[in-house]
Amino acid sequence: MYIAEAFKYRHEFWRYILGTLLVIAGVIIGQIPLAVVIFLSGGMEVMGMEESQIMQVLEPNLNLFLMLLTFAVGLVAVILAAKYLHGQSLRSLTTSRKKIDWGRVFFAFGLVAVLTVLLSLVDYYANPEDYVVNFKPVPFLILTLIAIVMIPLQTSFEEYFFRGYLMQGIGVFSGNRWLPLIITSVVFGGLHFFNPEVTQMGNIIMTYYIGTGFMLGIMTLMDDGLELALGFHAANNLVAVLLVTAEWTAFQSHSILKDISEPTAGWDVLVPIFIIYPALLYIMARKYGWKDWKHKLFGKVEKPETLKLSEEA
């Protein structure tokens, strides 16, 4: 089982505390280039600006690259913490299988990418007054190169840290699966509270962020690995940043379309949580033969028998 992979390596509680602090330090270090460039571009005036205003100080492609660089440094910190603090391989941090299943990554990526494009096109043709064409060939080409390289690093950081490192660590010490699922999902969603979307659309949008955390966590526990979550998250963010931007989003870009509608959120934010996400889970469950949902989501986490026998010997 995926969480039990942590038993094979050094898993003392203090190591996870120290590892988490190192990851936080890595993210802070990764923010330094963005902070320096923003300050040099805007001077002291940036000190009193809101986040959405600060992001407009820089050229969108440069701003996006520097924002994503923060997460890339964080990803390196997660991998180094796992390797040197726990002696854990990248494979075991990714999956309980003998090797990383890239087919699962690409399946989830393709499924979510196609769905996101279709839903975006439906909304564009249903509400054309809400969009303007934002396409500029050269800036879009640069955006595409940045996004293809950096977005997977950003989403991989979040998956390896929340659904990987923290889920395994909390699962080992709690002895169950439901607590790491709840904690990692709520913390993951809660960190999005500082996104400009929340300011513009209200706290109800947090339902979507936390619900997405639960979706990715369920996917990881049921499939005994991060592969599907990695593909899902990368496709969701990559397609979104290339297709549509808005002045009030966290990722402002030279995308194909720009949303000029008034940002609002109501019960429609529940559609992904209660309709789209369950449908995606059903498709994955059928494809990969998921069974015993109760045990995989709420059962105990126990040390593998082979490890118990070796320790007794």
Side-chain angles (χ1 to χ4, degrees):
M1 296 300 178
Y2 176 64
I3 291 179
E5 283 289 311
F7 281 115
K8 300 177 182 178
Y9 307 94
R10 298 188 292 270
H11 56 276
E12 293 85 357
F13 182 71
W14 68 266
R15 295 182 186 274
Y16 283 98
I17 296 296
L18 180 56
T20 299
L21 293 176
L22 289 174
V23 171
I24 294 173
V27 172
I28 293 174
I29 292 171
Q31 291 176 338
I32 292 175
L34 175 61
V36 170
V37 173
I38 288 177
F39 185 77
L40 292 176
S41 300
M44 293 299 295
E45 294 180 5
V46 302
M47 301 301 291
M49 292 182 180
E50 296 181 356
E51 183 179 354
S52 58
Q53 294 175 313
I54 292 175
M55 289 188 294
Q56 294 175 12
V57 170
L58 301 183
E59 193 278 330
N61 280 334
L62 176 60
N63 179 57
L64 181 66
F65 173 78
L66 292 173
M67 285 183 63
L68 296 176
L69 182 62
T70 297
F71 300 99
V73 177
L75 176 60
V76 172
V78 174
I79 295 172
L80 292 178
K83 181 177 181 180
Y84 292 105
L85 271 177
H86 303 270
Q88 187 173 9
S89 66
L90 182 62
R91 192 278 310 164
S92 67
L93 190 62
T94 308
T95 184
S96 61
R97 285 168 274 276
K98 293 182 178 180
K99 61 181 181 179
I100 298 174
D101 188 346
W102 291 102
R104 278 173 153 84
V105 177
F106 292 125
F107 171 76
F109 184 94
L111 179 64
V112 175
V114 170
L115 179 63
T116 304
V117 170
L118 289 176
L119 291 177
S120 298
L121 289 175
V122 168
D123 191 58
Y124 173 70
Y125 285 107
N127 306 286
E129 69 280 1
D130 290 343
Y131 298 91
V132 294
V133 176
N134 191 53
F135 179 74
K136 299 175 183 177
V138 175
F140 180 76
L141 176 60
I142 296 172
L143 166 66
T144 302
L145 294 175
I146 292 173
I148 289 175
V149 174
M150 301 298 290
I151 289 286
L153 297 179
Q154 176 248 328
T155 56
S156 293
F157 161 70
E158 294 182 357
E159 292 311 308
Y160 275 107
F161 184 51
F162 290 101
R163 257 67 62 179
Y165 190 75
L166 292 182
M167 182 167 282
Q168 286 186 342
I170 297 170
V172 163
F173 291 105
S174 67
N176 60 58
R177 302 165 191 273
W178 59 267
L179 188 61
L181 172 61
I182 292 175
I183 291 177
T184 58
S185 300
V186 172
V187 173
F188 169 79
L191 290 177
H192 290 76
F193 181 77
F194 301 100
N195 282 16
E197 291 94 331
V198 179
T199 302
Q200 295 293 328
M201 304 177 77
N203 292 340
I204 191 173
I205 195 66
M206 293 302 298
T207 306
Y208 168 76
Y209 290 128
I210 294 174
T212 300
F214 273 101
M215 164 71 171
L216 294 165
I218 291 170
M219 204 182 298
T220 299
L221 291 177
M222 289 305 303
D223 201 53
D224 277 323
L226 286 179
E227 292 100 332
L228 294 176
L230 287 168
F232 178 104
H233 204 161
N236 182 74
N237 287 24
L238 179 61
V239 175
V241 83
L242 292 176
L243 274 185
V244 184
T245 191
E247 292 185 355
W248 42 267
T249 60
F251 287 160
Q252 297 180 30
S253 66
H254 290 292
S255 58
I256 296 174
L257 299 172
K258 184 174 183 178
D259 186 344
I260 58 172
S261 64
E262 187 68 24
T264 58
W267 292 106
D268 54 309
V269 302
L270 301 180
V271 172
I273 309 301
F274 294 106
I275 298 178
I276 296 175
Y277 287 175
L280 290 174
L281 286 174
Y282 176 78
I283 292 171
M284 294 175 182
R286 290 297 299 265
K287 180 173 177 60
Y288 295 110
W290 294 349
K291 297 178 181 178
D292 199 5
W293 288 66
K294 182 178 180 180
H295 173 69
K296 286 199 169 185
L297 297 182
F298 303 101
K300 294 181 178 179
V301 174
E302 298 178 331
K303 184 176 294 188
E305 288 297 326
T306 53
L307 292 180
K308 291 181 181 178
L309 292 174
S310 62
E311 290 175 356
E312 292 174 358

